[in-house]
Amino acid sequence: MKISKAAAAAAVAVALSLTATACGGSKKDAASDGGASGGAKDKIVVGIKFDQPGLGLKTPDGKFTGFDVDVATYVAKELGYQPDQIEFKQAVSAERENLISNGDVKFIVATYSINDKRKERVDFAGPYFLAHQDLLVRADDTSITKVEDLNKKKLCSVTGSTSAQNVKKNLAPEADLLEQGGYSECLTGLENKAVDALTTDNSILAGYAAQEKNKGKFKLVGLSMSNENYGIGLKKGDKELQTKINAALKKMVEDGSWQKAVDKNLGPANYKNEPAPQITEGS
């Protein structure tokens, strides 16, 4: 049977249309895999802090800087994502478990201390950093060298801080505790001599002290009033992702990237970091 040229052309057009549709559908399906399970990846959503200089900070021009950001970027790279495929989402302390369990983020790197209460709702990889509760004082202050020196002095921290309560209840009960809405207010008070010290994790204190505008104004006392093992939070039961993140953290330490990130982000405050901790989660 003879087929007209017009009919043949129409058949070819239909065939090409079907092929294009099939290819388009396949690409969409592959790109929608935003997890760490392999296959083509579009993006990955990672939770970080937006307001902690040196750790997790969103700058006025929309960029992200800090040690936690560097760790998150390294881990995402090992999972198959380039920096432009990472979407950083703000993870305030009170919402971290909800963000993970609701699937709003793949994992969280946000000065997230591992403890039993949190492990009831989420799993952790790591730890990747060991911090200690410390004090930040003015650079020229020689009157505070140990926690007992806070008695009769003014101590500042954020409202509801467990660090401040630890000092007030257990270490220096006669300290005059002032609670503020944020660490910036405490820093202003410290600079203006309205308060004598600021307390929280030494990593957070070092981040603030290392800011360009604060260089030379403050110093860490160098105390270890508690141990805070920072972990990477992820969905409970996701052992595959936990194993992959642990492997990425080990590699980051072994190739020197971990220490470089510490020095770059916290070094200007003369921060003396602990060695990278042994990974215990998932083992």
Side-chain angles (χ1 to χ4, degrees):
M1 180 175 68
K2 218 177 221 186
I3 301 175
S4 70
K5 288 184 179 180
V12 170
V14 170
L16 289 173
S17 175
L18 289 171
T19 302
T21 301
C23 290
S26 175
K27 184 177 181 182
K28 181 180 178 183
D29 291 343
S32 66
D33 178 16
S37 56
K41 301 176 181 70
D42 185 16
K43 68 175 183 178
I44 188 169
V45 184
V46 180
I48 60 167
K49 290 291 181 69
F50 279 17
D51 60 351
Q52 288 184 342
L55 292 159
L57 182 70
K58 184 176 182 179
T59 60
D61 59 0
K63 294 180 180 178
F64 300 94
T65 65
F67 176 71
D68 280 352
V69 175
D70 289 346
V71 171
T73 302
Y74 190 101
V75 169
K77 179 193 71 175
E78 292 301 304
L79 295 177
Y81 297 90
Q82 296 304 310
D84 62 357
Q85 292 176 289
I86 303 171
E87 177 186 330
F88 287 118
K89 189 176 185 69
Q90 186 172 23
V92 298
S93 295
E95 287 298 317
R96 287 178 296 202
E97 287 83 26
N98 290 334
L99 288 170
I100 293 169
S101 58
N102 292 341
D104 296 323
V105 296
K106 192 67 178 176
F107 60 84
I108 285 180
V109 191
T111 57
Y112 201 2
S113 295
I114 300 170
N115 64 40
D116 290 339
K117 183 178 180 181
R118 289 169 178 162
K119 286 169 73 171
E120 291 175 2
R121 294 189 61 193
V122 302
D123 278 340
F124 287 94
Y128 66 92
F129 194 83
L130 174 59
H132 302 290
Q133 185 185 344
D134 200 355
L135 300 173
L136 191 72
V137 297
R138 288 181 291 277
D140 60 356
D141 189 344
T142 59
S143 68
I144 301 175
T145 58
K146 57 186 183 297
V147 68
E148 292 82 2
D149 293 335
L150 288 173
N151 285 314
K152 308 293 187 184
K153 291 185 180 290
K154 293 181 179 177
L155 173 67
C156 192
S157 196
V158 296
T159 303
S161 165
T162 55
S163 298
Q165 296 304 322
N166 182 38
V167 172
K168 182 69 176 173
K169 291 179 180 178
N170 304 318
L171 302 171
E174 294 181 53
D176 182 6
L177 178 59
L178 173 67
E179 293 184 296
Q180 297 280 17
Y183 293 116
S184 296
E185 291 94 325
C186 286
L187 279 169
T188 300
L190 188 58
E191 184 177 4
N192 297 336
K193 299 186 177 182
V195 298
D196 300 298
L198 162 60
T199 189
T200 188
D201 296 356
N202 54 7
S203 55
I204 297 173
L205 296 174
Y208 278 104
Q211 281 186 291
E212 193 64 39
K213 64 181 180 181
N214 293 328
K215 284 182 180 177
K217 295 180 180 179
F218 310 110
K219 66 181 179 182
L220 290 164
V221 174
L223 305 179
S224 298
M225 294 183 279
S226 71
N227 293 329
E228 305 294 337
N229 280 292
Y230 294 164
I232 295 181
L234 57 132
K235 199 152 196 168
K236 196 161 184 66
D238 194 342
K239 297 302 179 186
E240 181 183 1
L241 181 59
Q242 184 184 52
T243 299
K244 289 181 177 181
I245 293 178
N246 280 338
L249 293 174
K250 288 177 183 176
K251 183 177 178 182
M252 187 178 186
V253 173
E254 290 167 358
D255 69 14
S257 300
W258 184 89
Q259 189 61 54
K260 286 180 182 177
V262 174
D263 293 341
K264 179 184 77 172
N265 293 293
L266 302 176
N270 294 319
Y271 180 70
K272 305 295 189 294
N273 67 279
E274 295 274 10
Q278 291 295 313
I279 290 175
T280 58
E281 298 303 305
S283 58

